[in-house]
Amino acid sequence: MPSLTRRAWMIGAGATAIAAAAYETANTTPRPGAGARPARLQFPEGFLWGTATSAYQVEGAAETDGRGLSIWEAFAHQPGRIRDGSTGAAGVDHFHRYKEDVALMKALGVRAYRFSIAWPRVFPDGAGAVNPKGLDFYDRLVDTLLASGIEPYATLYHWDLPQALQARGGWESRDTAEAFGAYAAHVVRRLGDRVRRFFPLNEIRAFIEEGYASGIFAPGLSLPEARLNQARHHAVLAHGLGVQAVRANGRAGTTVGPAENIATALPSVETDDNIRAAGIATRELNAPYLTVMLEGRYTDAWLAGQGADAPRIAAGDLAIISSKVDFVGLNVYTPSQYVLASEAAPGFIALPLQASHPHMASPWLKLGPEALYWAPRHVQHLWGVKDIFITENGTSGADEPAEDGTVYDLDRVMYLRNCLVHLQRATAEGVPVRGYFLWSLLDNFEWADGYARRFGLVHVDFTTLKRTPKLSAAFYRAVIARNAPA
Ligand code: IFM
């Protein structure tokens, strides 16, 4: 084991003991009396274990090498927008510390890293003149990953829209979708000799609903329904144009698919009628996002609900939006609804969640690990998808360092173990989930929560930027080594 790897885990007396125990569990065959693991708890052979971050949340170096401004800088500088008054300008300096971060990934044993490319680094004005240095950092990152045996999975857009495009209407403008297609083509031409897996846009639902409806994310708008629907439509159009750009410019064998935060309905009781109802609800809950991307049509119920506010759809748009994808990536944190079957249209009743329903450190993150089973199962059953990845799952935690400096994040370990048990159930039943990316490798800039919510497996001291693996890192390392959730 390389010395950096070793050092990363030797963190305080308590953590050393825990890390040592995790290594032992992970690296030895069962000892007499320890009991062999029943095969049914295993993930399939070759299951891909990874971790994920995004550019604006980790990179920092916001003014380095000609990077342009993004909507998040503009937004974060408005008083009251970010909970702790911070910005992502410094991130956690992944831009300069990427080698240390790749070594941390290697210590975990991950085989894949999902990161995003900052559009404003590549086209500082969103379109037009290319910044010649804009992709240099990603060249270095990709080479380091490959040299470490970690496969790069690149997201082309993780919410950091160039501010210059926002000034021209942002996602309300069709031009933004077209500009995204051109940017995607440029990136794939440059990195496509080494990067073979691409996600066009991360969580369209999140950046549209929170950026253009609730206004809690950049650009901070609360649009009337018709304008909101047009922004939704342009974002899924960009997805389709991104898929086409990857196809047109990638090498043979390159694959592409969405990374969408599917809204998942769960059957309150697992009976056939409730399961069917949960499928109907999931299709409708995702109507302007995953459903139109995979079906090439907005559902009748959704269109009827929008009435005169429905989006204007140009000829050919739906075919672009539903361009064939190779896989579907799902970001799954929390269920959206628990449902009961109903004879009356639309075929389900959403049950109100009790006030006592537990949540994690982020109040939006309700506990409901069964979503890791139902989200991919619905996607397989509704749309016949044959390759699914969990492109994000993880949680914020209390994350207070103990006296020995270690974060014993039992809440995160508990959350992850539960989620992975349910995901393993899906694979055991033949749902084609091929891999899992844990969000996130590092504590980072959590959007409107600033640095006040931590999602990392690795604790970052935001003053010194020192990285210290948490207990959950030892947990994840053991999961990977055993290829089993518990
Ligand atoms: O940090 C975010 C990420 O950028 C997108 N998915 C959800 C994560 C946790 O909120």
Side-chain angles (χ1 to χ4, degrees), residues 344-378:
F348 62 90
I349 300 166
L351 300 179
L353 277 191
Q354 269 80 13
S356 61
H357 194 100
H359 65 78
M360 302 303 288
S362 303
W364 61 266
L365 216 166
K366 308 274 185 225
L367 214 54
E370 323 81 282
L372 272 289
Y373 169 77
W374 285 104
R377 181 173 152 168
H378 286 321

Side-chain angles (χ1 to χ4, degrees), residues 304-390:
Q306 305 312 307
D309 293 331
R312 279 173 284 104
I313 306 171
D317 280 5
L318 293 172
I320 296 172
I321 291 167
S322 58
S323 298
K324 187 182 167 315
V325 293
D326 301 297
F327 56 79
V328 170
L330 303 173
N331 295 3
V332 185
Y333 288 87
T334 194
S336 295
Q337 285 183 354
Y338 290 79
V339 301
L340 269 184
S342 162
E343 302 270 299
F348 62 90
I349 300 166
L351 300 179
L353 277 191
Q354 269 80 13
S356 61
H357 194 100
H359 65 78
M360 302 303 288
S362 303
W364 61 266
L365 216 166
K366 308 274 185 225
L367 214 54
E370 323 81 282
L372 272 289
Y373 169 77
W374 285 104
R377 181 173 152 168
H378 286 321
V379 168
Q380 177 194 26
H381 284 244
L382 286 171
W383 298 300
V385 174
K386 299 219 165 25
D387 289 294
I388 299 171
F389 290 90
I390 301 302

Side-chain angles (χ1 to χ4, degrees), residues 155-227:
T155 305
L156 296 169
Y157 178 73
H158 197 124
W159 309 358
D160 42 2
L161 189 75
Q163 176 60 24
L165 291 180
Q166 188 59 45
R168 302 202 285 275
W171 291 107
E172 284 195 76
S173 164
R174 192 180 177 90
D175 292 349
T176 296
E178 307 282 352
F180 175 75
Y183 151 72
H186 176 81
V187 173
V188 177
R189 275 198 293 275
R190 167 82 173 266
L191 297 180
D193 57 337
R194 287 153 293 150
V195 180
R196 299 300 172 87
R197 318 278 168 233
F198 288 97
F199 307 95
L201 300 104
N202 183 70
E203 296 187 6
I204 297 176
R205 169 191 295 281
F207 75 78
I208 292 291
E209 298 303 321
E210 310 306 350
Y212 287 77
S214 74
I216 62 172
F217 283 179
L221 304 173
S222 296
L223 297 182
E225 207 59 24
R227 285 171 62 191

Side-chain angles (χ1 to χ4, degrees), residues 66-334:
R67 178 184 177 279
L69 276 184
S70 84
I71 53 172
W72 273 92
E73 272 98 43
F75 182 72
H77 282 109
Q78 295 167 23
R81 292 299 200 176
I82 309 293
R83 194 166 153 205
D84 58 5
S86 65
T87 76
V92 290
D93 200 27
H94 185 56
F95 190 92
H96 295 109
R97 294 169 195 244
Y98 68 94
K99 286 191 182 153
E100 181 184 352
D101 295 339
V102 173
L104 286 165
M105 290 178 221
K106 203 167 170 188
L108 283 171
V110 296
R111 285 203 295 117
Y113 175 45
R114 177 172 172 253
F115 60 96
S116 81
I117 291 160
W119 187 349
R121 286 197 194 282
V122 186
F123 288 93
D125 291 325
V130 178
N131 172 16
K133 291 189 176 169
L135 283 166
D136 290 1
F137 165 65
Y138 304 103
D139 266 334
R140 296 192 290 274
L141 175 64
V142 163
D143 289 344
T144 306
L145 287 167
L146 291 173
S148 306
I150 299 171
E151 188 171 6
Y153 278 63
T155 305
L156 296 169
Y157 178 73
H158 197 124
W159 309 358
D160 42 2
L161 189 75
Q163 176 60 24
L165 291 180
Q166 188 59 45
R168 302 202 285 275
W171 291 107
E172 284 195 76
S173 164
R174 192 180 177 90
D175 292 349
T176 296
E178 307 282 352
F180 175 75
Y183 151 72
H186 176 81
V187 173
V188 177
R189 275 198 293 275
R190 167 82 173 266
L191 297 180
D193 57 337
R194 287 153 293 150
V195 180
R196 299 300 172 87
R197 318 278 168 233
F198 288 97
F199 307 95
L201 300 104
N202 183 70
E203 296 187 6
I204 297 176
R205 169 191 295 281
F207 75 78
I208 292 291
E209 298 303 321
E210 310 306 350
Y212 287 77
S214 74
I216 62 172
F217 283 179
L221 304 173
S222 296
L223 297 182
E225 207 59 24
R227 285 171 62 191
L228 178 59
N229 279 333
Q230 207 56 48
R232 289 178 174 133
H233 182 73
H234 292 149
V236 290
L237 182 66
H239 156 80
L241 292 169
V243 171
Q244 295 189 352
V246 175
R247 293 253 181 270
N249 296 283
R251 303 279 170 101
T254 300
T255 56
V256 57
E260 190 52 25
N261 54 330
I262 182 173
T264 312
L266 271 50
S268 48
V269 180
E270 286 193 17
T271 54
D272 287 350
D273 55 345
N274 288 327
I275 292 171
R276 207 168 26 254
I280 296 170
T282 297
R283 180 168 174 265
E284 289 304 336
L285 284 168
N286 294 284
Y289 300 116
L290 211 46
T291 305
V292 70
M293 285 150 74
L294 295 174
E295 293 186 19
R297 61 189 289 266
Y298 292 104
T299 66
D300 295 339
W302 188 80
L303 282 175
Q306 305 312 307
D309 293 331
R312 279 173 284 104
I313 306 171
D317 280 5
L318 293 172
I320 296 172
I321 291 167
S322 58
S323 298
K324 187 182 167 315
V325 293
D326 301 297
F327 56 79
V328 170
L330 303 173
N331 295 3
V332 185
Y333 288 87
T334 194

